[in-house]
Amino acid sequence: MKWISVVGARPNFIKIAPFCRAVVDYNASKTGQLAPIEHLLVHTGQHYDDRMSKTFFTELNIPQADLNLNIGSGSHAEQVGKTMIAFEKVCLTQKPDLVIVVGDVNATAACSITAKKLGISVAHIEAGLRSGDRSMPEEINRLVTDSISDALMAPDEFAVENLLKEGHNPDSMQLSGNIMIDTLDRELAKVEALPLPNGLLPEKYVVITLHRPANVDCPEKLRALVDAIIAQADTGVQFFWPIHPRTKAKLEEFSLLSSLEASDITFAQPLGYHALLRLNLSAKAFLTDSGGLQEECCVLGTPCVTLRDNTERPVTLKEHGGTNVLSSIADLERNLQQALHSDRKPYRPKNWDGHTAPRMVDFLLEGNKAESLR
Ligand code: UD1
């Protein structure tokens, strides 16, 4: 039985690490009884900088990708088109029984379409998330991927509900839990003793991460956001901002970098997994538009202000037991002040127990899904 897992961008790497390990563990536990799973890892190369890619493979002990499609940057159509052309060749040569795609990046949609058109079963890790906002490229990727996937592995009960509402067969889905939390649980002990960077003091800093096109691609929006953040930067806590390449490029293009550099905000290059997790353990709050950070903050109890109108991860919101609030730019000050005056309140939704990846492998092997779902 041959499986191909596909990764393309930073958040995928964090999710695939435990899955690769669970396949190895399955093979080790079944020696001599059943045929092992031959598992290949394909990196589409959407993220290619060491800081956006290689660091994560090293830190999380992800096996080196068997194939790299070297797609690189480009418009969405370019990235998706190039990925499909290259991945079709991989599928034709390798003839996998199952293709596993992760999350909501361009690689996820491109490779699920390619595999499905070749009659290969597709399994989606992180199925069923919906922001309801079709202006988000990620939402289109989610909708397309789930609509054609044979096995839908959902992180939470909201996601299961979305899939049922869309008419998916309950037998094709599993409430798997959140695979990112497998990684968090495994790596936590390695980072607890790490020092904080840049003289940051525990519970005295806010971490900023922003990269969504809706926040950073429009000059007026990004200017308003930068002004609002600078206005909050002297509230007695340090602001620490590891800048995503997309955001850095846009700040330069819109001539916004100099006013930020003149402020009290501390900047850094994109951080590795361990460094960001260490920061999360002692941060007073996060100011973000990331999907994964909403979830990590929820589990660690860190107050999180999400600069978006909606979230595909409602399970992390305060009204559902988490630590996350959505915020407009206009409400940033109020929401940030509330976060700064909140205590840590860790919350784990159902099956966010660190054992999601083996649960997924068992689910995929049940009745040999790769064959029967075709
Ligand atoms: C992608 C994902 C998003 C995910 C994010 C995590 C899609 C549609 N979006 O957005 O869901 O949350 O990754 O980071 O797939 N760049 C580099 N080095 C790199 C990668 C990118 O410099 O290693 C630059 C390029 O100039 C590129 C820009 O960053 O144009 C944005 O990269 P892109 O591939 O468009 O995706 P992200 O915005 O990172």
Side-chain angles (χ1 to χ4, degrees):
M1 183 174 17
K2 190 188 262 191
W3 292 3
I4 291 184
S5 292
V6 180
V7 289
R10 186 168 60 174
N12 293 168
F13 311 140
I14 300 159
K15 293 168 198 163
I16 211 65
F19 189 82
C20 291
R21 204 170 301 113
V23 173
V24 169
D25 290 348
Y26 170 82
N27 282 341
S29 71
K30 300 289 172 191
T31 314
Q33 294 175 37
L34 285 173
I37 301 163
E38 187 187 346
H39 188 211
L40 298 184
L41 187 61
V42 172
H43 188 331
T44 67
Q46 178 177 342
H47 282 180
Y48 45 85
D49 286 353
D50 283 359
R51 286 178 197 276
M52 300 293 286
S53 177
K54 191 173 165 207
T55 305
F56 292 86
F57 278 73
T58 310
E59 286 187 321
L60 304 179
N61 283 317
I62 304 169
Q64 204 184 345
D66 297 282
L67 289 155
N68 192 319
L69 309 183
N70 292 313
I71 299 307
S73 303
S75 69
H76 285 270
E78 278 170 336
Q79 281 186 335
V80 170
K82 282 186 194 167
T83 304
M84 288 178 77
I85 292 166
F87 190 62
E88 185 178 51
K89 295 193 177 91
V90 173
C91 288
L92 290 171
T93 316
Q94 297 295 338
K95 301 188 176 24
D97 302 293
L98 179 69
V99 166
I100 297 125
V101 294
V102 188
D104 56 17
V105 304
N106 286 336
T108 315
C111 294
S112 58
I113 296 170
T114 306
K116 205 60 207 155
K117 285 197 171 182
L118 291 170
I120 300 163
S121 295
V122 173
H124 185 201
I125 294 180
E126 206 181 79
L129 295 187
R130 298 287 181 270
S131 66
D133 176 0
R134 294 195 178 193
S135 70
M136 274 182 95
E138 293 86 352
E139 183 76 350
I140 306 301
N141 292 338
R142 292 179 199 121
L143 286 162
V144 167
T145 304
D146 284 342
S147 71
I148 55 172
S149 288
D150 303 280
L152 297 156
M153 297 176 284
D156 61 57
E157 286 165 310
F158 289 93
V160 169
E161 202 54 42
N162 291 334
L163 293 168
L164 290 172
K165 269 192 249 156
E166 288 170 16
H168 289 282
N169 179 351
D171 290 344
S172 68
M173 61 184 86
Q174 181 196 46
L175 173 51
S176 313
N178 190 328
I179 198 164
M180 276 194 27
I181 305 309
D182 289 21
T183 298
L184 185 145
D185 282 351
R186 189 184 160 93
E187 302 301 318
L188 212 48
K190 298 181 195 161
V191 308
E192 275 160 348
L194 292 179
L196 288 168
N198 293 72
L200 296 175
L201 298 171
E203 306 295 327
K204 294 268 184 241
Y205 61 89
V206 173
V207 181
I208 304 170
T209 83
L210 293 171
H211 75 278
R212 296 266 162 227
N215 277 331
V216 308
D217 283 6
C218 162
E220 291 75 30
K221 180 90 187 266
L222 188 56
R223 182 164 293 116
L225 203 44
V226 163
D227 288 347
I229 291 171
I230 291 176
Q232 296 303 306
D234 61 353
T235 46
V237 290
Q238 184 70 38
F239 279 48
F240 186 77
W241 188 350
I243 301 197
H244 187 285
R246 167 190 284 281
T247 311
K248 177 128 191 280
K250 295 295 175 187
L251 287 168
E252 274 163 1
E253 184 184 335
F254 306 148
S255 308
L256 292 168
L257 210 48
S258 49
S259 59
L260 272 171
E261 277 166 356
S263 74
D264 289 336
I265 299 168
T266 306
F267 296 99
Q269 303 265 21
L271 298 177
Y273 183 80
H274 287 155
L276 196 63
L277 182 57
R278 174 65 193 93
L279 283 174
N280 203 339
L281 282 179
S282 304
K284 190 61 207 161
F286 265 69
L287 194 54
T288 190
D289 60 9
S290 152
L293 275 168
Q294 296 173 52
E295 299 174 333
E296 289 166 340
C297 284
C298 177
V299 165
L300 294 173
T302 316
C304 178
V305 178
T306 298
L307 281 159
R308 287 175 49 189
D309 300 335
N310 48 60
T311 179
E312 60 289 336
R313 292 160 162 94
V315 76
T316 64
L317 293 174
K318 267 190 176 175
E319 58 260 41
H320 299 302
T323 58
N324 185 22
V325 288
L326 299 176
S327 182
S328 62
I329 299 176
D331 290 336
L332 174 64
E333 178 176 1
R334 181 171 55 81
N335 285 319
L336 187 63
Q337 284 307 318
Q338 269 179 13
L340 294 178
H341 291 94
S342 301
D343 292 328
R344 279 187 174 270
K345 196 170 153 278
Y347 169 60
R348 283 182 185 246
K350 190 172 176 189
N351 285 349
W352 292 27
D353 56 2
H355 302 294
T356 289
R359 201 177 285 128
M360 286 174 169
V361 171
D362 287 347
F363 174 65
L364 293 174
L365 289 164
E366 257 171 36
N368 197 0
K369 273 204 159 45
E371 279 303 313
S372 63
L373 287 172
R374 191 171 287 172

